[in-house]
Amino acid sequence: MPFTLPPRIPPGPRRRSLLASAAGAALLVGCSESPDSANTAGSPSAADRARARAARDSAALATRYAAVIAAHPALADLLRPLRTAVVRHTEAFGGSAQASASASASASASASASASASASASASADGDGRAPASAQPSASASPAVAADRKTALSDLAVAERALADRRTKALLELPGELARLMASVAAAGAAHAFLLTEGAK
């Protein structure tokens, strides 16, 4: 019987939807809780620290997504599903969705304030081209979002890829079930980075 190659996934929104679904399915493989952190594969304290750090990293990433959405509302349709997945990652590692929502709301407010300050600075710049101090965004505003949409997407892609790489490297030091969860989330992050890179083109 001749071997038939599977059809190629067409480019465009359908391809993005299929890839996003695949990333979500990968996460489900490792989302169940397990007492692995108490077995001999690794120290309970080390596993607990790794899980807490992963939850913080995902919460921080969700905050970055919220900031970009606030600064560039036109990107919301692309970014909201990815951010929802990142919030699920936070919860899978034992983090709080409520905490992520609170941090994201703060990031959105900061991004909006920063955008307003930038617009004000452009309109009222001094003769030497520098904006008055009162119009400059606060140094404490975080996370920073690029004014250009493509750059903002590229920055998110870099953040997703860097976090996925760190999680992949950490796998060998983690107990079984947590390692499987980390691998699933790292794979989802790599898929997100691909989608963001495609969106920035």
Side-chain angles (χ1 to χ4, degrees), residues 1-197:
M1 181 176 179
F3 177 74
T4 304
L5 291 174
R8 294 182 64 188
I9 298 175
R14 182 168 178 268
R15 182 183 185 186
R16 292 197 296 269
S17 298
L18 289 172
L19 287 169
S21 298
L27 173 62
L28 294 178
V29 173
C31 275
S32 59
E33 291 292 333
S34 168
D36 273 346
S37 61
N39 66 28
T40 57
S43 166
S45 59
D48 289 344
R49 287 197 301 271
R51 188 181 292 271
R53 181 169 60 250
R56 289 194 302 271
D57 288 342
S58 288
L61 187 57
T63 299
R64 291 194 64 166
Y65 270 99
V68 175
I69 291 171
H72 301 288
L75 299 176
D77 288 345
L78 170 64
L79 298 183
R80 277 178 183 149
L82 302 183
R83 182 185 175 277
T84 297
V86 173
V87 171
R88 288 177 58 208
H89 299 168
T90 304
E91 295 172 338
F93 286 120
S96 168
Q98 183 176 1
S100 294
S102 177
S104 296
S106 176
S108 297
S110 295
S112 298
S114 179
S116 297
S118 296
S120 175
S122 297
S124 59
D126 292 334
D128 60 358
R130 296 169 53 190
S134 60
Q136 294 175 358
S138 169
S140 62
S142 179
V145 177
D148 178 70
R149 292 179 188 177
K150 290 186 177 182
T151 302
L153 286 176
S154 295
D155 289 346
L156 271 179
V158 170
E160 282 274 21
R161 190 174 297 109
L163 183 54
D165 288 346
R166 289 202 306 273
R167 286 170 167 169
T168 299
K169 291 177 182 177
L171 292 178
L172 294 178
E173 301 176 2
L174 301 176
E177 188 65 24
L178 179 56
R180 286 189 288 273
L181 172 59
M182 191 75 77
S184 295
V185 175
H192 289 182
F194 172 80
L195 293 173
L196 292 165
T197 300

